[in-house]
Amino acid sequence: APAPAPASPPVPAMSAAISSRFRAFLNSEAGPKTVFFWAPTMKWGLVVAGLADINRPVERVSLPQNAAMAATGLIWMRWSFVIKPVNVNLALVNLFVGACGLYQVGRVLKARQAQKAAPIK
C-alpha cells in the first residue's frame, strides 16, 4: 500500500478567516458567480468615462446625456437597496455615475449662465 501523504502544516487562524470570507464572497448571492456582480463591475467604465470628461471643454459636454446619466445613476442607486439581494456594488457605481452626471450638468448650466451674463460685443 502506498504511504499516506504528509499532513499539511496547520493554517493560521487569520489565514483561515480570510479564506472563509473569500469563500463566502465567492458564493454569495451577489458574488462573482452571478450577474449581480459583473453588471455593476462593468458599469464602472461609465464612471471612468465621466471622470475623463471633466477635462473636456464645456461646449462639448452634452446636457441631455449627462442629465440622463445623473437621473439613471440616482434612480438605480435607490433601486439597488430595494432589490434582493441588496447589491452594494451596484449602489456605489450608480452613486458615482449620478455624481459624474450631476457635476457635468452643473458645469454646463454654469457656463450657459456665464454666457448670458457676458456683455455683447
Side-chain angles (χ1 to χ4, degrees):
S8 52
V11 178
M14 184 180 210
S15 178
I18 291 170
S19 175
S20 173
R21 284 187 193 151
F22 180 73
R23 209 171 320 115
F25 163 70
L26 191 63
N27 295 319
S28 71
E29 291 179 315
K33 293 180 179 180
T34 69
V35 70
F36 299 110
F37 174 82
W38 290 108
T41 300
M42 294 299 121
K43 198 170 184 179
W44 281 103
L46 292 175
V47 175
V48 172
L51 292 174
D53 281 351
I54 288 174
N55 295 323
R56 180 182 291 235
V58 73
E59 307 82 39
R60 298 194 59 217
V61 173
S62 168
L63 180 62
Q65 176 182 337
N66 283 287
M69 293 294 287
T72 59
L74 298 174
I75 290 166
W76 280 104
M77 181 185 65
R78 171 67 181 116
W79 183 249
S80 66
F81 291 109
V82 174
I83 61 172
K84 299 294 179 213
V86 170
N87 195 330
V88 176
N89 188 17
L90 183 63
L92 285 173
V93 72
N94 282 302
L95 171 68
F96 281 91
V97 167
C100 286
L102 286 174
Y103 178 76
Q104 296 295 4
V105 166
R107 281 184 63 208
V108 171
L109 294 178
K110 183 177 176 183
R112 288 183 181 177
Q113 193 66 29
Q115 190 177 25
K116 283 182 184 176
I120 300 174
K121 295 180 182 179

